[in-house]
PDB file of all heavy atoms in Angstrom:
ATOM      1  N   LYS A   1      70.291 101.258 -54.424  1.00 90.00           N
ATOM      2  CA  LYS A   1      71.008 102.170 -55.342  1.00 90.00           C
ATOM      3  C   LYS A   1      70.243 102.241 -56.701  1.00 90.00           C
ATOM      4  O   LYS A   1      70.066 103.375 -57.261  1.00 90.00           O
ATOM      5  CB  LYS A   1      72.451 101.678 -55.586  1.00 90.00           C
ATOM      6  CG  LYS A   1      73.400 101.970 -54.472  1.00 90.00           C
ATOM      7  CD  LYS A   1      74.829 101.629 -54.838  1.00 90.00           C
ATOM      8  CE  LYS A   1      75.799 102.035 -53.663  1.00 90.00           C
ATOM      9  NZ  LYS A   1      77.211 101.789 -54.018  1.00 90.00           N
ATOM     10  N   LYS A   2      69.805 101.109 -57.198  1.00 92.00           N
ATOM     11  CA  LYS A   2      69.009 101.130 -58.475  1.00 92.00           C
ATOM     12  C   LYS A   2      67.671 101.829 -58.264  1.00 92.00           C
ATOM     13  O   LYS A   2      67.230 102.549 -59.100  1.00 92.00           O
ATOM     14  CB  LYS A   2      68.762  99.701 -58.945  1.00 92.00           C
ATOM     15  CG  LYS A   2      69.979  98.991 -59.406  1.00 92.00           C
ATOM     16  CD  LYS A   2      69.654  97.595 -59.946  1.00 92.00           C
ATOM     17  CE  LYS A   2      70.919  96.860 -60.466  1.00 92.00           C
ATOM     18  NZ  LYS A   2      70.637  95.518 -60.991  1.00 92.00           N
ATOM     19  N   ALA A   3      67.031 101.611 -57.059  1.00 91.00           N
ATOM     20  CA  ALA A   3      65.808 102.242 -56.781  1.00 91.00           C
ATOM     21  C   ALA A   3      65.974 103.720 -56.713  1.00 91.00           C
ATOM     22  O   ALA A   3      65.160 104.501 -57.240  1.00 91.00           O
ATOM     23  CB  ALA A   3      65.240 101.661 -55.464  1.00 91.00           C
ATOM     24  N   ALA A   4      67.076 104.214 -56.063  1.00 91.00           N
ATOM     25  CA  ALA A   4      67.323 105.621 -55.924  1.00 91.00           C
ATOM     26  C   ALA A   4      67.592 106.263 -57.261  1.00 91.00           C
ATOM     27  O   ALA A   4      67.069 107.333 -57.578  1.00 91.00           O
ATOM     28  CB  ALA A   4      68.557 105.868 -55.038  1.00 91.00           C
ATOM     29  N   LYS A   5      68.315 105.559 -58.147  1.00 92.00           N
ATOM     30  CA  LYS A   5      68.618 106.126 -59.485  1.00 92.00           C
ATOM     31  C   LYS A   5      67.329 106.295 -60.267  1.00 92.00           C
ATOM     32  O   LYS A   5      67.164 107.294 -60.991  1.00 92.00           O
ATOM     33  CB  LYS A   5      69.593 105.205 -60.174  1.00 92.00           C
ATOM     34  CG  LYS A   5      70.109 105.753 -61.528  1.00 92.00           C
ATOM     35  CD  LYS A   5      71.212 104.834 -62.091  1.00 92.00           C
ATOM     36  CE  LYS A   5      71.740 105.360 -63.340  1.00 92.00           C
ATOM     37  NZ  LYS A   5      72.374 106.753 -63.190  1.00 92.00           N
ATOM     38  N   LEU A   6      66.471 105.289 -60.234  1.00 92.00           N
ATOM     39  CA  LEU A   6      65.234 105.309 -60.919  1.00 92.00           C
ATOM     40  C   LEU A   6      64.317 106.417 -60.424  1.00 92.00           C
ATOM     41  O   LEU A   6      63.700 107.173 -61.189  1.00 92.00           O
ATOM     42  CB  LEU A   6      64.432 104.003 -60.837  1.00 92.00           C
ATOM     43  CG  LEU A   6      63.119 103.830 -61.591  1.00 92.00           C
ATOM     44  CD1 LEU A   6      63.304 104.180 -63.046  1.00 92.00           C
ATOM     45  CD2 LEU A   6      62.653 102.437 -61.474  1.00 92.00           C
ATOM     46  N   LEU A   7      64.257 106.556 -59.033  1.00 91.00           N
ATOM     47  CA  LEU A   7      63.379 107.618 -58.472  1.00 91.00           C
ATOM     48  C   LEU A   7      63.866 109.038 -58.865  1.00 91.00           C
ATOM     49  O   LEU A   7      63.026 109.897 -59.213  1.00 91.00           O
ATOM     50  CB  LEU A   7      63.271 107.450 -56.941  1.00 91.00           C
ATOM     51  CG  LEU A   7      62.408 108.375 -56.194  1.00 91.00           C
ATOM     52  CD1 LEU A   7      60.971 108.292 -56.675  1.00 91.00           C
ATOM     53  CD2 LEU A   7      62.541 108.183 -54.696  1.00 91.00           C
ATOM     54  N   VAL A   8      65.138 109.212 -58.827  1.00 91.00           N
ATOM     55  CA  VAL A   8      65.677 110.487 -59.183  1.00 91.00           C
ATOM     56  C   VAL A   8      65.361 110.807 -60.639  1.00 91.00           C
ATOM     57  O   VAL A   8      65.020 111.928 -61.021  1.00 91.00           O
ATOM     58  CB  VAL A   8      67.144 110.550 -58.937  1.00 91.00           C
ATOM     59  CG1 VAL A   8      67.799 111.836 -59.516  1.00 91.00           C
ATOM     60  CG2 VAL A   8      67.469 110.514 -57.477  1.00 91.00           C
ATOM     61  N   SER A   9      65.486 109.798 -61.519  1.00 91.00           N
ATOM     62  CA  SER A   9      65.153 110.037 -62.945  1.00 91.00           C
ATOM     63  C   SER A   9      63.674 110.396 -63.105  1.00 91.00           C
ATOM     64  O   SER A   9      63.293 111.229 -64.013  1.00 91.00           O
ATOM     65  CB  SER A   9      65.475 108.815 -63.788  1.00 91.00           C
ATOM     66  OG  SER A   9      64.622 107.723 -63.414  1.00 91.00           O
ATOM     67  N   LEU A  10      62.764 109.866 -62.355  1.00 90.00           N
ATOM     68  CA  LEU A  10      61.390 110.198 -62.429  1.00 90.00           C
ATOM     69  C   LEU A  10      61.097 111.602 -61.984  1.00 90.00           C
ATOM     70  O   LEU A  10      60.335 112.334 -62.495  1.00 90.00           O
ATOM     71  CB  LEU A  10      60.522 109.235 -61.568  1.00 90.00           C
ATOM     72  CG  LEU A  10      60.444 107.818 -62.064  1.00 90.00           C
ATOM     73  CD1 LEU A  10      59.622 106.926 -61.072  1.00 90.00           C
ATOM     74  CD2 LEU A  10      59.755 107.732 -63.442  1.00 90.00           C
ATOM     75  N   ILE A  11      61.871 112.082 -60.897  1.00 89.00           N
ATOM     76  CA  ILE A  11      61.769 113.424 -60.401  1.00 89.00           C
ATOM     77  C   ILE A  11      62.274 114.436 -61.407  1.00 89.00           C
ATOM     78  O   ILE A  11      61.615 115.431 -61.673  1.00 89.00           O
ATOM     79  CB  ILE A  11      62.444 113.516 -59.021  1.00 89.00           C
ATOM     80  CG1 ILE A  11      61.768 112.622 -57.970  1.00 89.00           C
ATOM     81  CG2 ILE A  11      62.508 115.026 -58.547  1.00 89.00           C
ATOM     82  CD1 ILE A  11      62.473 112.596 -56.643  1.00 89.00           C
ATOM     83  N   THR A  12      63.426 114.138 -61.928  1.00 89.00           N
ATOM     84  CA  THR A  12      64.060 115.098 -62.818  1.00 89.00           C
ATOM     85  C   THR A  12      63.379 115.167 -64.245  1.00 89.00           C
ATOM     86  O   THR A  12      63.639 116.067 -64.995  1.00 89.00           O
ATOM     87  CB  THR A  12      65.598 114.835 -62.945  1.00 89.00           C
ATOM     88  OG1 THR A  12      65.703 113.474 -63.443  1.00 89.00           O
ATOM     89  CG2 THR A  12      66.250 115.003 -61.597  1.00 89.00           C
ATOM     90  N   SER A  13      62.617 114.098 -64.610  1.00 88.00           N
ATOM     91  CA  SER A  13      61.986 114.042 -65.903  1.00 88.00           C
ATOM     92  C   SER A  13      60.834 115.028 -66.025  1.00 88.00           C
ATOM     93  O   SER A  13      60.419 115.392 -67.142  1.00 88.00           O
ATOM     94  CB  SER A  13      61.554 112.658 -66.262  1.00 88.00           C
ATOM     95  OG  SER A  13      60.464 112.248 -65.281  1.00 88.00           O
ATOM     96  N   ASN A  14      60.236 115.457 -64.904  1.00 86.00           N
ATOM     97  CA  ASN A  14      59.143 116.430 -64.909  1.00 86.00           C
ATOM     98  C   ASN A  14      57.861 115.915 -65.601  1.00 86.00           C
ATOM     99  O   ASN A  14      57.087 116.692 -66.203  1.00 86.00           O
ATOM    100  CB  ASN A  14      59.579 117.745 -65.496  1.00 86.00           C
ATOM    101  CG  ASN A  14      60.469 118.529 -64.602  1.00 86.00           C
ATOM    102  OD1 ASN A  14      60.337 118.472 -63.295  1.00 86.00           O
ATOM    103  ND2 ASN A  14      61.427 119.159 -65.142  1.00 86.00           N
ATOM    104  N   ILE A  15      57.667 114.558 -65.662  1.00 87.00           N
ATOM    105  CA  ILE A  15      56.484 114.072 -66.329  1.00 87.00           C
ATOM    106  C   ILE A  15      55.369 113.733 -65.257  1.00 87.00           C
ATOM    107  O   ILE A  15      54.236 113.387 -65.672  1.00 87.00           O
ATOM    108  CB  ILE A  15      56.769 112.755 -67.083  1.00 87.00           C
ATOM    109  CG1 ILE A  15      57.359 111.626 -66.180  1.00 87.00           C
ATOM    110  CG2 ILE A  15      57.801 113.018 -68.259  1.00 87.00           C
ATOM    111  CD1 ILE A  15      57.446 110.351 -66.841  1.00 87.00           C
ATOM    112  N   ALA A  16      55.636 113.957 -64.015  1.00 87.00           N
ATOM    113  CA  ALA A  16      54.633 113.571 -62.954  1.00 87.00           C
ATOM    114  C   ALA A  16      53.567 114.710 -62.864  1.00 87.00           C
ATOM    115  O   ALA A  16      53.944 115.874 -63.019  1.00 87.00           O
ATOM    116  CB  ALA A  16      55.361 113.421 -61.593  1.00 87.00           C
ATOM    117  N   PRO A  17      52.388 114.407 -62.684  1.00 89.00           N
ATOM    118  CA  PRO A  17      51.325 115.401 -62.529  1.00 89.00           C
ATOM    119  C   PRO A  17      51.491 116.062 -61.160  1.00 89.00           C
ATOM    120  O   PRO A  17      52.166 115.518 -60.266  1.00 89.00           O
ATOM    121  CB  PRO A  17      50.014 114.614 -62.611  1.00 89.00           C
ATOM    122  CG  PRO A  17      50.393 113.225 -62.224  1.00 89.00           C
ATOM    123  CD  PRO A  17      51.758 113.006 -62.710  1.00 89.00           C
ATOM    124  N   GLU A  18      50.824 117.268 -61.060  1.00 88.00           N
ATOM    125  CA  GLU A  18      51.074 118.076 -59.826  1.00 88.00           C
ATOM    126  C   GLU A  18      50.654 117.318 -58.568  1.00 88.00           C
ATOM    127  O   GLU A  18      51.380 117.424 -57.554  1.00 88.00           O
ATOM    128  CB  GLU A  18      50.206 119.318 -59.967  1.00 88.00           C
ATOM    129  CG  GLU A  18      50.751 120.349 -60.976  1.00 88.00           C
ATOM    130  CD  GLU A  18      52.125 120.877 -60.583  1.00 88.00           C
ATOM    131  OE1 GLU A  18      52.380 121.019 -59.383  1.00 88.00           O
ATOM    132  OE2 GLU A  18      52.878 121.176 -61.518  1.00 88.00           O
ATOM    133  N   TYR A  19      49.604 116.553 -58.611  1.00 88.00           N
ATOM    134  CA  TYR A  19      49.145 115.899 -57.402  1.00 88.00           C
ATOM    135  C   TYR A  19      50.045 114.755 -56.912  1.00 88.00           C
ATOM    136  O   TYR A  19      49.924 114.264 -55.796  1.00 88.00           O
ATOM    137  CB  TYR A  19      47.676 115.353 -57.542  1.00 88.00           C
ATOM    138  CG  TYR A  19      47.576 114.316 -58.670  1.00 88.00           C
ATOM    139  CD1 TYR A  19      47.858 112.996 -58.446  1.00 88.00           C
ATOM    140  CD2 TYR A  19      47.161 114.644 -59.926  1.00 88.00           C
ATOM    141  CE1 TYR A  19      47.746 112.050 -59.437  1.00 88.00           C
ATOM    142  CE2 TYR A  19      47.042 113.748 -60.971  1.00 88.00           C
ATOM    143  CZ  TYR A  19      47.345 112.381 -60.713  1.00 88.00           C
ATOM    144  OH  TYR A  19      47.306 111.491 -61.727  1.00 88.00           O
ATOM    145  N   PHE A  20      50.993 114.365 -57.819  1.00 89.00           N
ATOM    146  CA  PHE A  20      51.793 113.171 -57.443  1.00 89.00           C
ATOM    147  C   PHE A  20      53.248 113.623 -57.027  1.00 89.00           C
ATOM    148  O   PHE A  20      53.990 112.821 -56.560  1.00 89.00           O
ATOM    149  CB  PHE A  20      51.925 112.249 -58.674  1.00 89.00           C
ATOM    150  CG  PHE A  20      52.360 110.918 -58.305  1.00 89.00           C
ATOM    151  CD1 PHE A  20      51.566 110.049 -57.537  1.00 89.00           C
ATOM    152  CD2 PHE A  20      53.565 110.391 -58.792  1.00 89.00           C
ATOM    153  CE1 PHE A  20      52.028 108.794 -57.238  1.00 89.00           C
ATOM    154  CE2 PHE A  20      53.994 109.120 -58.445  1.00 89.00           C
ATOM    155  CZ  PHE A  20      53.238 108.251 -57.688  1.00 89.00           C
ATOM    156  N   TRP A  21      53.469 114.949 -57.034  1.00 88.00           N
ATOM    157  CA  TRP A  21      54.852 115.354 -56.719  1.00 88.00           C
ATOM    158  C   TRP A  21      55.160 115.145 -55.207  1.00 88.00           C
ATOM    159  O   TRP A  21      56.262 114.772 -54.809  1.00 88.00           O
ATOM    160  CB  TRP A  21      55.033 116.812 -57.050  1.00 88.00           C
ATOM    161  CG  TRP A  21      55.524 117.044 -58.428  1.00 88.00           C
ATOM    162  CD1 TRP A  21      54.882 117.484 -59.500  1.00 88.00           C
ATOM    163  CD2 TRP A  21      56.889 116.842 -58.881  1.00 88.00           C
ATOM    164  NE1 TRP A  21      55.642 117.552 -60.619  1.00 88.00           N
ATOM    165  CE2 TRP A  21      56.879 117.148 -60.254  1.00 88.00           C
ATOM    166  CE3 TRP A  21      58.105 116.431 -58.346  1.00 88.00           C
ATOM    167  CZ2 TRP A  21      58.034 117.019 -61.070  1.00 88.00           C
ATOM    168  CZ3 TRP A  21      59.180 116.293 -59.088  1.00 88.00           C
ATOM    169  CH2 TRP A  21      59.175 116.621 -60.423  1.00 88.00           C
ATOM    170  N   SER A  22      54.215 115.307 -54.379  1.00 89.00           N
ATOM    171  CA  SER A  22      54.420 115.069 -52.959  1.00 89.00           C
ATOM    172  C   SER A  22      54.769 113.712 -52.668  1.00 89.00           C
ATOM    173  O   SER A  22      55.707 113.358 -51.860  1.00 89.00           O
ATOM    174  CB  SER A  22      53.137 115.487 -52.193  1.00 89.00           C
ATOM    175  OG  SER A  22      52.065 114.672 -52.619  1.00 89.00           O
ATOM    176  N   THR A  23      54.136 112.678 -53.392  1.00 89.00           N
ATOM    177  CA  THR A  23      54.470 111.328 -53.159  1.00 89.00           C
ATOM    178  C   THR A  23      55.881 111.050 -53.677  1.00 89.00           C
ATOM    179  O   THR A  23      56.670 110.313 -52.982  1.00 89.00           O
ATOM    180  CB  THR A  23      53.467 110.457 -53.938  1.00 89.00           C
ATOM    181  OG1 THR A  23      52.135 110.749 -53.537  1.00 89.00           O
ATOM    182  CG2 THR A  23      53.733 108.950 -53.666  1.00 89.00           C
ATOM    183  N   LEU A  24      56.283 111.524 -54.817  1.00 89.00           N
ATOM    184  CA  LEU A  24      57.624 111.244 -55.371  1.00 89.00           C
ATOM    185  C   LEU A  24      58.619 111.819 -54.405  1.00 89.00           C
ATOM    186  O   LEU A  24      59.680 111.184 -54.154  1.00 89.00           O
ATOM    187  CB  LEU A  24      57.751 111.905 -56.718  1.00 89.00           C
ATOM    188  CG  LEU A  24      57.182 111.106 -57.908  1.00 89.00           C
ATOM    189  CD1 LEU A  24      57.363 111.924 -59.161  1.00 89.00           C
ATOM    190  CD2 LEU A  24      57.747 109.761 -58.002  1.00 89.00           C
ATOM    191  N   LEU A  25      58.466 113.082 -53.884  1.00 89.00           N
ATOM    192  CA  LEU A  25      59.505 113.697 -53.051  1.00 89.00           C
ATOM    193  C   LEU A  25      59.601 112.964 -51.691  1.00 89.00           C
ATOM    194  O   LEU A  25      60.698 112.751 -51.220  1.00 89.00           O
ATOM    195  CB  LEU A  25      59.176 115.203 -52.857  1.00 89.00           C
ATOM    196  CG  LEU A  25      59.307 116.059 -54.133  1.00 89.00           C
ATOM    197  CD1 LEU A  25      58.764 117.441 -53.879  1.00 89.00           C
ATOM    198  CD2 LEU A  25      60.785 116.100 -54.538  1.00 89.00           C
ATOM    199  N   LEU A  26      58.515 112.587 -51.158  1.00 90.00           N
ATOM    200  CA  LEU A  26      58.484 111.928 -49.873  1.00 90.00           C
ATOM    201  C   LEU A  26      59.114 110.519 -49.949  1.00 90.00           C
ATOM    202  O   LEU A  26      59.663 109.992 -48.971  1.00 90.00           O
ATOM    203  CB  LEU A  26      57.151 111.911 -49.253  1.00 90.00           C
ATOM    204  CG  LEU A  26      56.600 113.206 -48.763  1.00 90.00           C
ATOM    205  CD1 LEU A  26      55.137 113.100 -48.259  1.00 90.00           C
ATOM    206  CD2 LEU A  26      57.402 113.860 -47.637  1.00 90.00           C
TER     207      LEU A  26
END
């Protein structure tokens, strides 16, 4: 649950570079 909450915050923050979005989503 904590891991999911943190991952979602990283996705919604939009600070990830383009090449890393695939890794975050998968």
Side-chain angles (χ1 to χ4, degrees):
K1 285 189 177 182
K2 292 182 178 180
K5 187 174 182 61
L6 181 56
L7 182 60
V8 171
S9 68
L10 292 178
I11 293 173
T12 57
S13 65
N14 288 323
I15 62 174
E18 289 296 328
Y19 62 83
F20 199 65
W21 272 104
S22 60
T23 303
L24 282 179
L25 291 171
L26 291 175

